[in-house]
Amino acid sequence: MSDNELGIFLRTRREAITPARAGLPAGPRRRTPGLRRTEVATLAGVSVEYVTRLEQGRDRRPSVQVLSALAEALRLTPSERIHLHRLTKAADGGFTCMGGASPNRTVRPTVQALLERLEPTPAVLLNRLGELLAWTEAYDRLAGPVGLLDGTPPNLVRFVFTDDRARTAYPDWDRIADEQVAAIKQGPFRADPHVAVLADELTVTAGSDFAGRVERIPGLPESRGIERLVHPEAGELRLAYETLELPADDDQRLMVHLPADDATSAALDRLAGRRPGLLRALA
């Protein structure tokens, strides 16, 4: 399993940005997407050899000035800049926010009260291992029949990669799998011993489906989007999800699901045995 998370991140961001977005002329048609290493080096004011060393993992401790220059050259978003900083701190062994601490499985009373007030919306609280800690009754109706709530505690990452039912539940399984790998790689990843144990387990149990993604996917999951879920009673549902990060001390995130179309809205109402229109579809 690769531990060159900084290199993977820099390479994928370089390949994702267009010359136009980086402020460069388009020039002749390119064979490969994104920027060349020489272009990133020029924009950041460093040598192309240094960019190569960073991407290959031969240098994992760039200075703050170089990090800032690379972030500017790659037009990183604020969340991407935070992730870049965390990767370099993990390489230094200086990431102390979560690394080493046991995963938080305690749900604060106010967070539990928030979940109760979200009814009849499907919502779930997870920690950094992908463990499901608490959820609304609406989420229970959504995820329970699929098999996602099996286990003590249930684990979303483990379900996606090791439970055969996941590929039936998620028609877009590949994209869901990508997102789960990105989620557990967010932050120090292998520098966190608890995440490393889970990653080693999945490398064995899920094989290349998991390990291959670890090699190529940076730790930046989408915080919002639309996913398809096939429910054994309600059929195929289109759910718009939003991820809300709790304070760092909680080390948890809240995922809220809303119907993305009228058919899904009606299906969720039927599951709840409620009058139609209680949970309206997003525009």
Side-chain angles (χ1 to χ4, degrees), residues 230-280:
V230 176
H231 191 279
E233 300 170 30
E236 183 174 309
L237 307 172
R238 293 183 69 249
L239 299 161
Y241 66 88
E242 189 81 27
T243 305
L244 308 174
E245 298 286 345
L246 271 61
D249 287 345
D250 288 308
D251 185 21
Q252 295 169 351
R253 66 189 188 274
L254 181 67
M255 289 191 69
V256 181
H257 298 77
L258 294 169
D261 55 34
D262 291 336
T264 299
S265 176
L268 292 179
D269 285 336
R270 287 195 299 272
L271 284 176
R274 297 176 183 269
R275 59 181 175 82
L278 188 63
L279 197 59
R280 290 182 295 176

Side-chain angles (χ1 to χ4, degrees), residues 11-18 21 33-35:
R11 176 177 53 78
T12 55
R13 294 303 94 187
R14 174 174 63 80
E15 292 174 349
I17 185 172
T18 63
R21 188 172 169 221
L35 298 181

Side-chain angles (χ1 to χ4, degrees), residues 139-280:
Y139 188 83
D140 194 299
R141 291 190 293 270
L142 191 68
V146 169
L148 180 51
L149 300 182
D150 295 353
T152 308
N155 186 294
L156 178 57
V157 189
R158 191 177 283 118
F159 174 77
V160 168
F161 281 99
T162 66
D163 196 312
D164 291 339
R165 294 173 293 181
R167 294 180 184 262
T168 300
Y170 295 113
D172 305 312
W173 184 88
D174 283 309
R175 186 175 66 82
I176 297 296
D178 288 350
E179 285 297 299
Q180 293 311 308
V181 168
I184 67 166
K185 288 181 67 175
Q186 193 172 23
F189 189 43
R190 295 192 74 200
D192 180 331
H194 303 280
V195 177
V197 167
L198 175 62
D200 288 346
E201 171 200 325
L202 292 173
T203 299
V204 175
T205 56
S208 60
D209 280 340
F210 177 79
R213 286 176 166 84
V214 168
E215 295 288 340
R216 60 181 173 81
I217 294 176
L220 281 171
E222 295 290 338
S223 61
R224 58 190 178 274
I226 293 182
E227 67 181 31
R228 293 191 297 159
L229 179 73
V230 176
H231 191 279
E233 300 170 30
E236 183 174 309
L237 307 172
R238 293 183 69 249
L239 299 161
Y241 66 88
E242 189 81 27
T243 305
L244 308 174
E245 298 286 345
L246 271 61
D249 287 345
D250 288 308
D251 185 21
Q252 295 169 351
R253 66 189 188 274
L254 181 67
M255 289 191 69
V256 181
H257 298 77
L258 294 169
D261 55 34
D262 291 336
T264 299
S265 176
L268 292 179
D269 285 336
R270 287 195 299 272
L271 284 176
R274 297 176 183 269
R275 59 181 175 82
L278 188 63
L279 197 59
R280 290 182 295 176

Side-chain angles (χ1 to χ4, degrees), residues 19 24-26 30 34-45 48 73:
L24 296 173
R30 299 168 177 243
L35 298 181
R36 302 182 180 93
R37 285 173 176 166
T38 53
E39 292 169 328
V40 172
T42 299
L43 290 170
V48 65

Side-chain angles (χ1 to χ4, degrees), residues 7-67:
I8 292 173
F9 177 72
L10 291 174
R11 176 177 53 78
T12 55
R13 294 303 94 187
R14 174 174 63 80
E15 292 174 349
I17 185 172
T18 63
R21 188 172 169 221
L24 296 173
R29 187 169 182 176
R30 299 168 177 243
R31 294 182 180 178
T32 57
L35 298 181
R36 302 182 180 93
R37 285 173 176 166
T38 53
E39 292 169 328
V40 172
T42 299
L43 290 170
V46 298
S47 70
V48 65
E49 290 80 10
Y50 189 58
V51 172
T52 301
R53 290 208 311 273
L54 288 173
E55 289 192 3
Q56 293 178 348
R58 292 185 285 122
D59 190 322
R60 305 185 186 191
R61 294 173 176 82
S63 68
V64 172
Q65 292 77 15
V66 168
L67 285 179

